[in-house]
Amino acid sequence: MKRAWMRWLPAALVPVAFTAAALAGSYQAGAATSLPHKSPADVIAMMGHANVQALSGTLQQTSDLGLPSLPTTGPAATQGPASTLELLTGSHTARVYMDGPSKARFQVMDLLAERDLVRNGNDVWLYNSADNSAAHVTLPARQSAERTLPSAPATPGMTTPEALAQRFLAAVEPSTDVTVGDGTMVAGRTAYPLVIAPKSNGTLVESVTIAVDSATGLPLSVDVRARGQAASAFSLAFTEVNLSAPDVGLFAFTPPPGAAVEQKSLPAVPAQKAMPMVPGASGKALPVHPTITGSGWDAVMAFPAGAMPSQARTAPLLSQLTQAVPGGRALTTSLVTVLMLDDGRVFAGMVPLERLQAVAAAK
């Protein structure tokens, strides 16, 4: 990884609009332990210079977002939009294996099924045992060559503490207090708790705690707490981790007999990340440019009409998870709020609904 830590601190809002599933995770901390003193800058620098090239372990995710319960068994629980949203409720376990820049395996363990993502070089397989279906994707050469551990393709709704920590480090700015707590134990390893706390009272986020391995700088857990909520809203933690190379056979995948296999291909990734596209007046696709109102933790992202697919807006599951509000529907959780207006515009942020409505009314 060996990235300068300042590259993790852009003056931009964490893209919360449609990435609630990436904010999942449990801060499985043990008893306090004595460690040499380090400042917040020291701990962030440790993360930036971390060079873990291989690992295997078990991740425990818990979430308490205030969302209604979704099916946890049967095909409906592990297919379509319900698959990702179900991972935002309750507790989930995953096995993760990584070796170098292009080998990764995630196994999300469901009650009566398993979801797998396996990457081996340019080849990526996704498998769902609930309906014995598989998808094969060939990564573009540029994407395959440039991705480095642990940025291999992530299982939908499941990510690593390191990837999640990067998202919150991007929000560190003058509007944030950053401190280091007493040393702790996570997955049997000593760690420095880096505590990120917004200064503003206008955000739903109370604090984010990242447990950073004292030996390697690898984030071992992320705990996200919401204002006025005793339990963690999201947490993701290693309950066990081994920093040696996994067995190479774990990265080989062959679809089981009778599996329905879908072949997919991805276009080459351009030098700059492309923006989402919406139809223009001429019928041609135009890039979506979200606008940002405010800054830091209070910021609100606004997407123009057409940015959210119509099939997503009319999905029955969306009606189950949202509430009717004047002029549209709203998804309200303990950490993220999304306002979907009848005119097609979408507003999102780590702020209360009233803040989104005020921004929408002013545009």
Side-chain angles (χ1 to χ4, degrees), residues 108-166:
V108 181
M109 311 305 295
D110 299 313
L111 183 62
L112 298 175
E114 178 180 314
R115 281 167 277 183
D116 292 80
L117 181 150
V118 183
R119 175 179 180 181
N120 194 346
N122 289 13
D123 293 314
V124 176
W125 283 94
L126 296 133
Y127 177 70
N128 187 346
S129 68
D131 59 359
N132 198 25
S133 64
H136 176 240
V137 179
T138 300
L139 295 178
R142 177 179 177 273
Q143 183 177 9
S144 176
E146 293 188 359
R147 283 183 179 264
T148 57
L149 181 78
S151 299
T155 299
M158 181 64 68
T159 186
T160 63
E162 194 273 352
L164 183 55
Q166 289 185 45

Side-chain angles (χ1 to χ4, degrees), residues 23-36:
L23 302 179
S26 170
Y27 181 52
Q28 303 290 334
T33 185
S34 178
L35 288 173

Side-chain angles (χ1 to χ4, degrees), residues 19-329:
T19 58
L23 302 179
S26 170
Y27 181 52
Q28 303 290 334
T33 185
S34 178
L35 288 173
H37 172 77
K38 288 189 181 295
S39 68
D42 293 334
V43 176
I44 294 175
M46 285 177 57
M47 297 171 65
H49 291 89
N51 193 29
V52 174
Q53 292 297 311
L55 63 81
S56 60
T58 301
L59 287 170
Q60 181 71 33
Q61 171 198 306
T62 63
S63 54
D64 185 6
L65 294 173
L67 290 171
S69 298
L70 294 173
T72 57
T73 60
T78 54
Q79 299 176 18
S83 173
T84 297
L85 292 171
E86 184 265 333
L87 286 170
L88 294 178
T89 62
S91 179
H92 302 275
T93 301
R95 290 289 297 170
V96 56
Y97 307 90
M98 296 179 175
D99 187 6
S102 60
K103 288 184 172 65
R105 183 176 190 126
F106 287 81
Q107 297 174 311
V108 181
M109 311 305 295
D110 299 313
L111 183 62
L112 298 175
E114 178 180 314
R115 281 167 277 183
D116 292 80
L117 181 150
V118 183
R119 175 179 180 181
N120 194 346
N122 289 13
D123 293 314
V124 176
W125 283 94
L126 296 133
Y127 177 70
N128 187 346
S129 68
D131 59 359
N132 198 25
S133 64
H136 176 240
V137 179
T138 300
L139 295 178
R142 177 179 177 273
Q143 183 177 9
S144 176
E146 293 188 359
R147 283 183 179 264
T148 57
L149 181 78
S151 299
T155 299
M158 181 64 68
T159 186
T160 63
E162 194 273 352
L164 183 55
Q166 289 185 45
R167 294 183 179 274
F168 285 108
L169 284 172
V172 174
E173 56 176 30
S175 65
T176 307
D177 284 324
V178 184
T179 58
V180 177
D182 294 333
T184 189
M185 298 287 294
V186 178
R189 300 180 65 89
T190 57
Y192 288 97
L194 184 72
V195 183
I196 302 170
K199 296 179 181 179
S200 169
N201 292 324
T203 177
L204 297 172
V205 179
E206 180 177 281
S207 66
V208 178
T209 301
I210 304 168
V212 182
D213 184 57
S214 64
T216 66
L218 178 73
L220 298 174
S221 70
V222 177
D223 177 82
V224 188
R225 294 186 175 269
R227 295 188 184 278
Q229 184 170 307
S232 298
F234 295 100
S235 62
L236 180 68
F238 281 108
T239 56
E240 60 175 330
V241 64
N242 185 323
L243 301 186
S244 59
D247 186 288
V248 67
L250 289 167
F251 308 111
F253 180 82
T254 301
V261 178
E262 181 181 2
Q263 296 289 339
K264 295 186 176 182
S265 60
L266 299 177
V269 179
Q272 293 185 344
K273 186 175 180 181
M275 299 298 296
M277 308 293 282
V278 296
S282 64
K284 295 182 179 180
L286 300 175
V288 174
H289 294 286
T291 59
I292 298 178
T293 301
S295 62
W297 300 88
D298 299 347
V300 172
M301 297 183 69
F303 292 82
M308 185 175 182
S310 58
Q311 59 268 33
R313 298 182 67 93
T314 58
L317 185 61
L318 189 65
S319 297
Q320 180 183 347
L321 294 174
T322 59
Q323 60 179 328
V325 297
R329 301 193 68 84

